[in-house]
Amino acid sequence: MEDKLIIKGIEFKSRLWVGTGKYKDFEETRKAIEASGADVVTVAVRRVNIIDSKSENLLDYINPKNYKILPNTAGCYTVEDALRYSRLAREAGISDLIKLEVIGDEKTLFPDVCGLLKATEILAKEGFIVLPYTNDDPIMAKRLVDAGAAAVMPLAAPIGSGLGIRNPYNMKIILEQATVPVIVDAGVGTASDVAIAMELGCDGVLLNTAIAGAKDPIAMAEAMKHAVIAGRLAYKAGRIPKKLYATASSPVEGMI
Amino acid sequence: MKLIVNGKDFNSNIGTVQELLNELGIKPGRVAVEVNLSIIKKTDYDSHRLNDGDKVEIVNFVGGGE
């Protein structure tokens, strides 16, 4: 049976979404993304180099025909900036998708949820498909959906920290009440973190640093691909309950 | 005419947004252009005239993650 992630009618081939930052070069970015099997790649919106406009661009390596380009508003600390970057991204791009970030603090990169909520509401009204990067806070997740978010993207841990899912119980609550897909965004460190997120029932995982910062990014990208698939399958299969004592798996009957 | 393009002083005699992109060697396909905080639609690049002192921002997509 097909088990596809769908957001606002858009079908996604993979539940793993990957970023394009922090790689050694564009060639490594391309290879890692290919190995990850992702069909969503996130990008940032920045000034064109007007001194050397002939310099290579990321999209020369990652063909927008083969991937869904998901622009983010990384680096935006105010609602105004997040709106400005979102609108520019839509004009430069090909879709209404926006990974909305309103950052609250430079050191933690935790979201400013008050600003995030405001920006989500405005952009959703403008027809954007808003995917907000938020805290692992079930109430805020609900508020964002009420404001028009097409999915919610709670953090596992601070961006780039590699700490894994710090609060699986909050994530469970978010999932239990979610009426939109839940994509874990940021903080995973390795394949097991991804598998845990998927086993909890998350609809997808977005990561960047865990691949780009690995010793062998291309091998890690492949590991992440399998982790997402394995975690999702385990979730669908339904794990056994945890018990304190053993239960024999070989029959007692027939013993001599 | 004096413009500020991506934060830098830019002296030129060009008339429209499209002419500015041509002069900079930028293909319009994957960029977005803002003049004095207003986004210029791609279909208006040819008709939108630039004026002395205009602040122009030309952006594109770069590598970025979470």
Side-chain angles (χ1 to χ4, degrees), chain A residues 186-201:
Chain A
V188 304
T190 186
S192 53
D193 296 334
V194 170
I196 288 168
M198 296 309 292
E199 285 171 10
L200 282 171

Side-chain angles (χ1 to χ4, degrees), chain A residues 73-94:
Chain A
T73 61
C76 292
Y77 284 81
T78 63
V79 173
E80 291 69 34
D81 272 352
L83 298 177
R84 186 182 182 194
Y85 276 71
S86 299
R87 290 164 184 155
L88 282 166
R90 176 152 76 175
E91 184 58 27
I94 31 182

Side-chain angles (χ1 to χ4, degrees), chain A residues 210-231:
Chain A
I211 295 178
K215 272 189 196 153
D216 182 343
I218 293 143
M220 186 57 92
E222 200 181 338
M224 295 302 191
K225 172 170 118 179
H226 295 303
V228 164
I229 295 169

Side-chain angles (χ1 to χ4, degrees), chain B:
Chain B
M1 183 168 68
K2 212 169 162 182
L3 303 169
I4 298 171
V5 181
N6 286 3
K8 292 190 174 70
D9 287 336
F10 190 84
N11 291 302
S12 176
N13 292 320
I14 45 102
T16 65
V17 169
Q18 184 58 56
E19 285 167 36
L20 175 64
L21 293 177
N22 291 347
E23 186 159 319
L24 292 170
I26 296 167
K27 286 186 214 132
R30 293 167 186 165
V31 298
V33 179
E34 194 190 74
V35 178
N36 302 329
L37 296 176
S38 296
I39 289 176
I40 310 300
K41 296 253 167 232
K42 286 194 199 321
T43 45
D44 295 337
Y45 286 176
D46 270 322
S47 58
H48 190 95
R49 298 203 68 79
L50 292 165
N51 298 304
D52 195 48
D54 276 354
K55 284 194 180 118
V56 184
E57 293 289 346
I58 308 168
V59 299
N60 64 355
F61 294 135
V62 303
E66 303 124 304

Side-chain angles (χ1 to χ4, degrees), chain A residues 151-225:
Chain A
V152 284
M153 305 189 71
L155 53 83
I159 292 174
S161 69
L163 289 170
I165 302 221
R166 292 297 77 210
N167 199 337
Y169 304 104
N170 271 29
M171 209 59 90
K172 265 270 182 227
I173 298 172
I174 292 174
L175 286 161
E176 217 176 84
Q177 59 188 17
T179 51
V180 298
V182 176
I183 315 283
V184 166
D185 181 4
V188 304
T190 186
S192 53
D193 296 334
V194 170
I196 288 168
M198 296 309 292
E199 285 171 10
L200 282 171
C202 294
D203 297 279
V205 176
L206 167 60
L207 52 88
N208 188 158
T209 313
I211 295 178
K215 272 189 196 153
D216 182 343
I218 293 143
M220 186 57 92
E222 200 181 338
M224 295 302 191
K225 172 170 118 179

Side-chain angles (χ1 to χ4, degrees), chain A residues 92-173:
Chain A
I94 31 182
S95 79
D96 297 322
L97 286 168
I98 190 78
K99 184 169 105 68
L100 185 62
E101 300 182 27
V102 182
I103 303 296
D105 168 63
E106 212 171 314
K107 193 170 176 186
T108 61
L109 296 178
F110 281 140
D112 169 0
V113 289
C114 303
L116 185 69
L117 189 61
K118 255 187 238 168
T120 297
E121 197 170 0
I122 295 168
L123 291 170
K125 277 191 189 132
E126 289 180 19
F128 281 88
I129 299 170
V130 186
L131 313 173
Y133 155 71
T134 182
N135 275 325
D136 53 2
D137 173 354
I139 306 301
M140 187 44 64
K142 252 209 266 192
R143 295 272 184 277
L144 288 165
V145 174
D146 292 343
V152 284
M153 305 189 71
L155 53 83
I159 292 174
S161 69
L163 289 170
I165 302 221
R166 292 297 77 210
N167 199 337
Y169 304 104
N170 271 29
M171 209 59 90
K172 265 270 182 227
I173 298 172

